[in-house]
Amino acid sequence: MTEFDARRSGTGVGAEFADVLVTRSDIARLAGVRRPAVSNWERRHPDFPRPVTAGAGSDGAAGAEVERFRADEVSSWLARRTVASNALRPGEPSGTTYGDRFRAGLTGGTAGGLLRAVERLAGPEADRLRGPMPLDRYLLWLLYLVHLRVVEPDSGPAEAVDDWRGIVRRYNPPEKTVPRTLLAELAGRLRLLSGESEQEGRAAFEHVLVLWRAAHAREGGAFFTPPSVSRVMARALAAVRPGATRVHDPYSRTGELLVAYLDAMAERKGDATSRVGGRVPDALERHVAEMNMRVHHGLTLRLGEGPFTPALSPSADPPGAFDVILTNPPFGRRVEDVPPPPYWIHGPARRTEFDWVQYAVSRLAPGGRAAVLMPAGASFNAGAAETVRAGLIEAGAVECVIGLPAGLFTLTSVKTQIWFLRAPGPEKGTDDPEVLFVAGEGLGRRLSRTQWALTDGDIVRLVGEYVTWNEVRATGHRFPGTPGLSRAVPVSGIGRGHSLDPHVYVGPPGSSAAARAAGPLEIRNRLAGLAEEIATLQARAEAADAEAGRRLRRYGL
């Protein structure tokens, strides 16, 4: 028998326990701590919730009215306090908060229950449940139900089962329908759980999203933005362009960059962005992107659909329309049989990456900033690529190039870079424009034999170089750079070839002078990049040959 008072029936996760009152003993028991710990919290933290009923203040005082607290206020306060790793209960995932325990106890659940259930459904039990259904389709349906469990916990999964035929028509091609029995089992497993916090719900959704993106990428060759790269792009733009109200990703994929940007704004406690939008390559990714935004930020967006390169739809967005643009566009393809669009003012390069980069610059409002993920080869390739680079540099549109390590993407080890761009025009406060080069290729940690990721410390370092450079430039001083990591180069110092490869300009730690754009060094870097691209293509060709052989053997060929 619990001691807390429920002033209305049916109180649950969605109700936020607004009418539930708890004593100090209730708080201790539900949060899994000793009774004195609650008194310590109350004494040491001025923001601890205040009691809403008067009393002697001692839960055990005979004949005295016991002080009680609003459970929703206690839950919110405890949600900011993570349980130490050595104090976790068996089965509780890392990152569990005392708020998770408190909420779960109020509803009769278990802290971390949703996340553990989702991990089982997406992992050990997936093959049994999905049967002949492809893994990416199974994970997509699980993702959809987890999304409903988070945003509509009281009725979402059940209504999805009731409206099974309508859901299939809206979200699934007829030839790939989902059995109603599977939908019902998944929804039922999720519906039995209770008490999760917003953080746990988002973590469960993110767990399935990561697995679905990996499976979908293997099926369709999609290159979703790695989470650590998303954070670098988003945090940097949120810092140097505060107050942006028009944020756009013209190739949103699953909305990962827009979510990361809103996360960065929330971390900075900035004003809510009034207009966030973008376009996606197809309806499937639009559904996932819209779920992603709704789960993480409660935004109901209707993203548009667009082609793989804006030259096919050059009037989709008006020029100068956005304060911030961030995108991970497709690259390495050619734009054929298309008349040069009006924004190709820096050169008619027909590789998609140079179409996208010119499009992004042309759509920035005065003072706007963009972050575009580019292949490393774009920084030094000759021919039309050099012409475009020269035009962007001379127009003052290139602010910074950050080199990234290989192996960040699921399907390829090709190296990439982040190009930070600004709306063309004279740079305020200086007659000596420059470009910041950050050589981050040596950063990151290995996740598996082929997979790498930037650490939290790496993200802070990369973002810090760009932000500090902007701050120093605003004071009229020179940015000294960080030996072995970054160097600011005047536009006049960018020599023949207009190379934007950070390794050409950033010397090793301890060197007396940064490397110049010397011919042999630049050629060596180009050859290294080409060798990596060739190795990646060879690996993909071998994988394709192996898959073709496997399928032929299935038919005895």
Side-chain angles (χ1 to χ4, degrees), residues 433-464:
E434 61 184 23
V435 177
L436 177 67
F437 294 98
V438 183
E441 293 87 345
L443 302 180
R445 64 183 178 90
R446 186 185 296 275
L447 299 179
S448 66
R449 186 177 61 83
T450 59
Q451 197 78 33
W452 284 72
L454 296 171
T455 66
D456 290 343
D458 296 334
I459 294 169
V460 170
R461 290 183 71 190
L462 295 177
V463 173

Side-chain angles (χ1 to χ4, degrees), residues 247-265:
V247 178
H248 188 65
D249 182 351
Y251 201 83
S252 298
R253 299 184 186 268
T254 60
E256 60 266 25
L257 283 170
L258 293 176
V259 168
Y261 182 83
L262 292 175
D263 288 344
M265 291 298 294

Side-chain angles (χ1 to χ4, degrees), residues 111-449:
L114 174 62
L115 182 55
R116 289 196 300 275
V118 165
E119 288 172 344
R120 290 194 300 271
L121 293 173
E125 298 186 47
D127 287 343
R128 177 183 65 83
L129 291 169
R130 69 186 176 95
M133 177 182 290
L135 178 60
D136 63 319
R137 303 301 298 182
Y138 168 81
L139 291 172
L140 180 63
W141 280 107
L142 178 60
L143 184 72
Y144 175 68
L145 291 172
V146 172
H147 140 263
L148 289 179
R149 181 68 181 82
V150 173
V151 301
E152 301 174 23
D154 296 327
S155 60
E159 290 179 358
V161 177
D162 293 340
D163 188 28
W164 166 68
R165 294 189 183 280
I167 294 294
V168 168
R169 283 196 302 271
R170 288 194 294 274
Y171 291 98
N172 226 21
E175 69 275 9
K176 296 180 180 178
T177 55
V178 57
R180 188 179 189 279
T181 53
L182 172 59
L183 204 63
E185 179 166 359
L186 293 176
R189 298 275 288 274
L190 296 175
R191 194 165 57 242
L192 290 173
L193 303 166
S194 61
E196 74 273 2
S197 64
E198 291 182 358
Q199 297 95 318
E200 184 185 344
R202 290 169 184 162
F205 178 86
E206 195 66 28
H207 179 77
V208 184
L209 178 61
V210 169
L211 295 175
W212 175 80
R213 287 185 0 164
H216 184 63
R218 284 192 291 271
E219 291 290 329
F223 296 96
F224 299 111
T225 319
S228 59
V229 177
S230 297
R231 289 197 289 273
V232 173
M233 298 170 71
R235 290 180 182 179
L237 290 179
V240 302
R241 190 59 176 84
T245 58
R246 298 167 296 175
V247 178
H248 188 65
D249 182 351
Y251 201 83
S252 298
R253 299 184 186 268
T254 60
E256 60 266 25
L257 283 170
L258 293 176
V259 168
Y261 182 83
L262 292 175
D263 288 344
M265 291 298 294
E267 290 171 1
R268 299 180 61 83
K269 296 180 169 48
D271 296 334
T273 305
S274 59
R275 280 183 286 175
V276 177
R279 286 188 301 281
V280 291
D282 56 46
L284 176 61
E285 291 181 6
R286 173 167 57 81
H287 294 319
V288 175
E290 290 171 355
M291 287 191 283
N292 202 2
M293 294 293 290
R294 194 176 179 199
V295 165
H296 284 92
H297 292 284
L299 296 178
T300 302
L301 295 181
R302 184 67 178 178
L303 298 170
E305 293 180 31
F308 74 94
T309 195
L312 298 175
S313 183
S315 302
D317 303 308
F322 305 108
D323 302 310
V324 164
I325 292 175
L326 65 172
T327 193
N328 168 20
F331 49 76
R333 299 172 65 177
R334 290 195 52 89
V335 184
E336 303 288 0
D337 303 323
V338 175
Y343 58 82
W344 278 9
I345 61 176
H346 304 299
R350 291 191 172 272
R351 289 179 68 89
T352 48
E353 54 264 36
F354 288 105
D355 181 32
W356 279 105
V357 78
Q358 292 189 80
Y359 184 79
V361 169
S362 72
R363 267 49 188 174
L364 288 175
R369 296 293 191 277
V372 181
L373 197 62
M374 298 281 282
S379 67
F380 54 74
N381 287 335
E386 180 184 338
T387 301
V388 176
R389 287 198 306 273
L392 291 170
I393 293 168
E394 290 164 6
V398 181
E399 275 201 325
C400 172
V401 177
I402 295 180
L404 300 172
L408 295 175
F409 286 83
T410 302
L411 295 180
T412 177
S413 61
V414 67
K415 287 186 177 179
T416 54
Q417 299 169 343
I418 305 171
W419 289 20
F420 288 97
L421 309 163
R422 61 190 295 272
E427 188 177 351
K428 185 180 293 187
T430 180
D431 295 325
D432 188 15
E434 61 184 23
V435 177
L436 177 67
F437 294 98
V438 183
E441 293 87 345
L443 302 180
R445 64 183 178 90
R446 186 185 296 275
L447 299 179
S448 66
R449 186 177 61 83

Side-chain angles (χ1 to χ4, degrees), residues 93-105:
S94 177
T96 296
T97 67
Y98 288 107
D100 293 330
R101 286 182 178 175
F102 183 84
R103 292 171 63 94

